[in-house]
Amino acid sequence: MTTTVPLHQPLDHTDRPVPSVLPVPPVSPDVSVFEELESEVRLYCRTFPVVFSRAKGAELHTEDGRTFIDFFCGAGSLNYGHNNDFIKHRLTDYLASDGIMHGLDMHTVAKREFLARFAELVLRPRGLDYKVQFAGPTGTDAVEAALKLARKATGRTGLIAFSGAYHGMSRGSLAVTGSRRARRAGGVSGQDVTFVPYEDGPLGPFDSIGFIERLLADPSSGTDLPAAVIVEPTQMEGGVYPASREWLRRLRELTQRHGILLILDEIQAGCGRTGTFFGFEDAGIVPDIVTVSKSIGGYGLPLSLTLFRRELDVWEPGEHTGTFRGNQLAFVAATAACELWQHGSFQAGVARAAGRLGRFRAELAALDPALAVRGRGMVLGIDTAGAGGPERARSAQRYAFEHGLIVELCGRHDEVVKVMPPLTIDADRLDRGLAVLHEGLRVR
Ligand code: PMP
């Protein structure tokens, strides 16, 4: 599996010139088949009512010729951009060679290469001696596996999760997800789960660690010693709240002292989104269990991993199984994506783009000091709570869409504009997207 594609390709992902004039809103696309046949549960297509046909780098194209800059990236699944050429050539070579496409969890060449490269380029350089479990193809199954393993390894059932957390839509993951609406839809009562406010949130900072200490120290607190604490290093759906390094360190120290497993959910904030491969890295902690999905598949292909300390591998064969664990094409793409990390040019490009996002924060502060802007690396959350609220966020999103930019909202009431360009975005498109967003927040 060799390729002659230059490594710089992902940083300069398209040979078409950046259009100088923004696209004009089109006539209504034909969406009748979706409306007639697709369930009411569909979501994103309601905010972005076009029909997409192609994509490249940081751009999405519709069947009727519109172009959008993508600041949403498949909810964090496309950190390396759309149809990244370096990864694509590996995939097309693999398809052309009739490489195995479905292998359950049998040994395959593609899986062997992924495991070897992932250990060499991601785990070992960070001093992480983890076993790798391939979960079913979505993030929520990596979380299910993590929670099951924590309960099995400790013999305890309780969990601590954080207000504002999002961990997925299957029952176990929903039980540790903060949203009342999502838990109600899933018929999940939250039994066995104690929710604690995160370090920061819409109601202000909170001494989460002190609170957990107190729950554990008081024999009548009503909370039993839990199997695990599950936490996102940056809460993304909750409204882009990055945890401080100090808070993560204290959480690690507390959980260690009490024999509670610490699960880091890296599904959305991981794979470089916040500047380092793992969001917990610069806190200098080693979690017991880590869940990874979304951009680990490199190309938007489904792949989900649960990583854990070797001693925690108490699974018996087949105790957490699934037909689509280990998508072979995703292994090929993921191997190539890991290789991007060894190249200084890739990391320098990400640092440059993150620097531009940092300057955008200052531009927003000049535009309206009442906007609260949070973020780290290649994610920003622009919080309108004290500056017009969800209606302003929604109208900025609408303006952006009408002017060729896809951007999503998050937070408790969709009051936060979440800015997540591809890590590989070029300076022109990043500037243009940010200019549209700035204007969308300015006009009211
Ligand atoms: N954890 C986090 C932090 C997430 O952001 C998500 C998805 N938004 C999930 C878990 C669930 O992943 P999936 O939608 O692939 O099941």
Side-chain angles (χ1 to χ4, degrees):
M1 278 199 259
T2 53
T3 176
T4 53
V5 178
L7 282 164
H8 291 284
Q9 198 83 30
L11 299 179
D12 185 17
H13 47 69
T14 175
D15 42 18
R16 272 169 298 106
V18 181
S20 55
V21 179
L22 289 164
V24 179
V27 289
S28 295
D30 179 7
V31 293
S32 52
V33 71
F34 306 112
E35 283 169 0
E36 189 196 334
L37 288 176
E38 196 179 352
S39 161
E40 293 307 312
V41 79
R42 65 196 190 280
L43 176 66
Y44 299 119
C45 55
R46 299 176 193 272
T47 313
F48 310 114
V50 289
V51 181
F52 293 106
S53 54
R54 289 182 310 111
K56 191 74 184 163
E59 283 183 355
L60 285 156
H61 305 281
T62 66
E63 64 176 357
D64 54 3
R66 295 185 71 185
T67 295
F68 292 88
I69 295 172
D70 190 0
F71 276 11
F72 184 30
C73 282
S77 306
L78 291 158
N79 283 3
Y80 309 105
H82 295 268
N83 293 305
N84 179 304
D85 282 337
F86 179 70
I87 303 175
K88 181 169 77 179
H89 282 77
R90 295 287 183 85
L91 290 170
T92 51
D93 284 354
Y94 188 79
L95 283 169
S97 73
D98 283 339
I100 190 153
M101 289 298 288
H102 186 274
L104 294 165
D105 67 0
M106 291 191 256
H107 294 156
T108 65
V109 169
K111 180 155 69 172
R112 182 168 59 203
E113 291 192 2
F114 169 69
L115 280 170
R117 294 299 260 170
F118 184 62
E120 176 196 341
L121 299 172
V122 175
L123 296 181
R124 263 184 241 128
R126 292 165 180 81
L128 300 169
D129 184 25
Y130 286 144
K131 294 288 284 288
V132 179
Q133 174 175 359
F134 296 103
T138 63
T140 197
D141 199 53
V143 174
E144 294 288 345
L147 301 178
K148 279 163 81 169
L149 184 68
R151 286 174 162 141
K152 182 162 195 230
T154 60
R156 302 192 289 263
T157 56
L159 299 164
I160 289 179
F162 292 95
S163 307
Y166 185 87
H167 296 294
M169 282 279 160
S170 50
R171 275 183 80 92
S173 307
L174 262 185
V176 287
T177 288
S179 161
R180 273 185 208 132
R181 177 171 177 260
R183 283 188 293 114
R184 208 179 301 128
V188 169
S189 69
Q191 266 177 357
D192 285 344
V193 181
T194 303
F195 279 93
V196 173
Y198 197 66
E199 183 185 22
D200 194 8
L203 301 178
F206 186 78
D207 179 14
S208 329
I209 314 293
F211 183 73
I212 298 172
E213 286 282 15
R214 205 163 152 148
L215 288 180
L216 298 177
D218 180 352
S220 288
S221 70
T223 301
D224 293 333
L225 186 68
V229 172
I230 179 162
V231 64
E232 293 157 87
T234 293
Q235 281 194 341
M236 302 287 271
E237 299 299 330
V240 188
Y241 288 96
S244 69
R245 295 175 184 92
E246 179 56 22
W247 188 82
L248 285 176
R249 274 186 216 122
R250 287 179 61 210
L251 187 61
R252 174 66 288 192
E253 189 280 320
L254 173 150
T255 46
Q256 218 147 24
R257 186 157 31 86
H258 288 276
I260 301 166
L261 299 178
L262 180 61
I263 304 172
L264 261 285
D265 182 342
E266 292 272 342
I267 289 169
Q268 192 169 156
C271 298
R273 177 53 61 189
T274 57
T276 46
F277 190 91
F278 293 112
F280 62 78
E281 247 174 74
D282 53 4
I285 61 166
V286 178
D288 299 298
I289 305 178
V290 181
T291 57
V292 186
S293 187
K294 295 197 188 257
S295 281
I296 191 71
Y299 204 74
L301 292 169
L303 186 62
S304 252
L305 314 178
T306 308
L307 315 173
F308 38 83
R309 286 195 292 107
R310 240 157 235 289
E311 315 82 88
L312 290 175
D313 198 2
V314 296
W315 288 123
E316 285 171 28
E319 275 190 322
H320 188 91
T321 182
T323 307
F324 289 107
R325 284 167 306 135
N327 178 302
Q328 305 295 312
L329 271 186
F331 287 145
V332 174
T335 304
C338 288
E339 289 174 13
L340 288 174
W341 283 87
Q342 69 187 325
H343 294 285
S345 59
F346 168 78
Q347 300 202 25
V350 180
R352 263 197 309 278
R356 177 65 188 94
L357 278 194
R359 291 196 298 285
F360 186 60
R361 289 174 83 138
E363 290 160 28
L364 289 175
L367 172 70
D368 182 352
L371 289 167
V373 188
R374 297 179 293 271
R376 185 171 285 164
M378 283 297 283
V379 58
L380 279 189
I382 306 166
D383 193 334
T384 62
E391 190 37 54
R392 185 171 183 194
R394 181 69 63 200
S395 96
Q397 181 188 45
R398 229 173 358 245
Y399 178 96
F401 181 67
E402 283 159 11
H403 291 79
L405 176 71
I406 300 283
V407 69
E408 182 51 324
L409 307 181
C410 63
R412 281 26 175 213
H413 305 285
D414 278 352
E415 73 281 17
V416 181
V417 181
K418 184 166 66 169
V419 182
M420 275 203 306
L423 306 184
T424 52
I425 192 167
D426 60 288
D428 280 347
R429 285 177 183 79
L430 184 54
D431 276 342
R432 287 185 53 235
L434 293 177
V436 169
L437 197 53
H438 189 276
E439 190 58 13
L441 285 160
R442 194 186 64 78
V443 294
R444 303 235 236 153

